[in-house]
Amino acid sequence: MTEHASKLWRVGHGRTIELGPKAVIMAIVNVTPDSFSDGGRHSTVDAAVARALEAVNEGAAIIDIGGESTRPDAAPVSAAEEQARVLPVIEALRGRSDVLISIDTYRAETARLAMAVGADIINDVFGLQKEPEIATVAAKTDAGLCLMHTGRERRKLADIIADQFLFLEQSLEIAFKAGVERETIVLDPGFGFAKDTRENIELMTRFSELHKLGFPILAGTSRKRFIGAITGREAADRDAGTAATSALLRLRGAAIFRVHNVAINRDALAVADAMLDAGSGFERKGTA
């Protein structure tokens, strides 16, 4: 893509969203008691839907709903418990809004059920490599599909970008073999997932190299531990640091930003988009 060209990301239920010309915000709504930043705040259906609608009013185009914490020391959750948490929220939100809904899961059955009650996007933090059957669910439902890189439960290559290519190309192979179409895929380099502060900073610095994979890219830095290491802030106080990373990654071509605090990131991204629109000398490396 040229630097201001648009791409239609095809998601479930025959819908699309434009990526490229303006940053797109995906708001995080964790229906969990133990997420690292907002655990317990949205653990009822009413609270989760209220937060989602608030995020829409603040400028979110996508609501990402998760029922299992992905922090490193989180207790595992059964599929049944995950589904009991997220499915009522998705169904209730779909009844209140036409916002795009993403289900944050690596489980095939959770993804299938979520798509059936109104989700549009499957966001898999294991990039289809934990339960490869989820790729078939995505193909059959024509879901939007976000494939995230992780360093967990595997041995990483020493070079951070080489490891991104190794992992994400395996994920893409699984997707294509299952019949997933290219126009439904977005990639996520997985900031914070078994990456230390140095690795996360290097990933930001070399972010533009990821465009060689040829897909739009989602950035999920929100309130991550490496931002705390840089700023000295606890998780709940990392929104300013997150907004800084969002603006920097927008200038390097990220298309979608998964965040807790929509308003502060919306403003930071508006500044970055204005710079790009003005041809300020910063180079947008294409969003595939």
Side-chain angles (χ1 to χ4, degrees):
M1 289 175 65
T2 60
E3 63 182 40
H4 289 291
S6 68
K7 175 184 178 63
L8 289 180
W9 181 23
R10 205 173 80 226
V11 300
H13 310 291
R15 306 180 70 188
T16 60
I17 181 170
E18 185 179 27
L19 304 180
K22 298 294 181 184
V24 170
I25 293 178
M26 172 188 279
I28 299 165
V29 177
N30 289 316
V31 193
T32 59
D34 58 345
S35 291
F36 78 96
S37 171
D38 57 355
R41 293 185 62 188
H42 314 124
S43 56
T44 69
V45 173
D46 288 346
V49 171
R51 173 55 198 144
L53 294 174
E54 181 182 43
V56 173
N57 288 334
E58 291 170 345
I62 306 167
I63 303 296
D64 189 48
I65 297 173
E68 180 175 3
S69 174
T70 56
R71 62 185 174 88
D73 56 348
V77 171
S78 70
E81 177 63 22
E82 179 190 39
Q83 291 155 20
R85 291 174 178 179
V86 300
L87 296 178
V89 175
I90 294 169
E91 190 168 19
L93 179 58
R94 178 50 67 229
R96 299 277 303 275
S97 173
D98 64 355
V99 68
L100 293 177
I101 298 174
S102 168
I103 175 62
D104 181 356
T105 187
Y106 58 83
R107 292 186 175 96
E109 183 63 5
T110 301
R112 185 187 69 79
L113 293 170
M115 291 299 295
V117 296
D120 306 285
I121 297 161
I122 298 168
N123 179 16
D124 184 351
V125 298
F126 280 95
L128 310 180
Q129 296 186 42
K130 186 85 164 180
E131 289 193 14
E133 301 86 357
I134 199 170
T136 301
V137 173
K140 287 183 176 179
T141 60
D142 207 29
L145 184 60
C146 183
L147 305 178
M148 197 195 80
H149 173 282
T150 185
R152 294 180 183 173
E153 301 180 20
R154 52 182 290 268
R155 179 174 294 181
K156 299 186 296 182
L157 298 180
D159 182 88
I160 195 162
I161 298 299
D163 194 66
Q164 290 278 327
F165 275 68
L166 173 67
F167 184 91
L168 291 172
E169 286 174 347
Q170 291 172 347
S171 295
L172 289 166
E173 182 178 3
I174 294 168
F176 293 143
K177 283 185 176 179
V180 173
E181 296 191 19
R182 187 179 186 90
E183 294 75 19
T184 65
I185 296 174
V186 163
L187 303 180
D188 177 351
F191 285 97
F193 279 75
K195 301 173 184 69
D196 62 23
T197 298
R198 179 194 61 79
E199 290 171 315
N200 283 295
I201 293 171
E202 182 178 358
L203 185 55
M204 286 187 62
T205 302
R206 299 177 63 188
F207 191 86
S208 298
E209 296 178 46
L210 300 175
H211 295 299
K212 295 174 185 177
L213 286 161
F215 292 87
I217 303 176
L218 180 153
T221 60
S222 191
R223 299 179 181 173
K224 291 292 175 74
R225 188 174 301 176
F226 81 96
I227 294 176
I230 295 168
T231 63
R233 303 279 186 180
E234 295 300 317
D237 296 320
R238 295 172 188 166
D239 290 331
T242 298
T245 65
S246 293
L248 291 168
L249 291 170
R250 179 61 178 159
L251 296 175
R252 286 163 173 78
I256 305 170
F257 298 82
R258 183 180 181 274
V259 300
H260 296 86
N261 186 323
V262 174
I264 193 172
N265 283 278
R266 178 198 63 208
D267 289 355
L269 289 164
V271 173
D273 279 337
M275 294 175 70
L276 291 168
D277 289 342
S280 62
F282 287 90
E283 185 179 0
R284 187 186 308 191
K285 296 294 187 179
T287 50

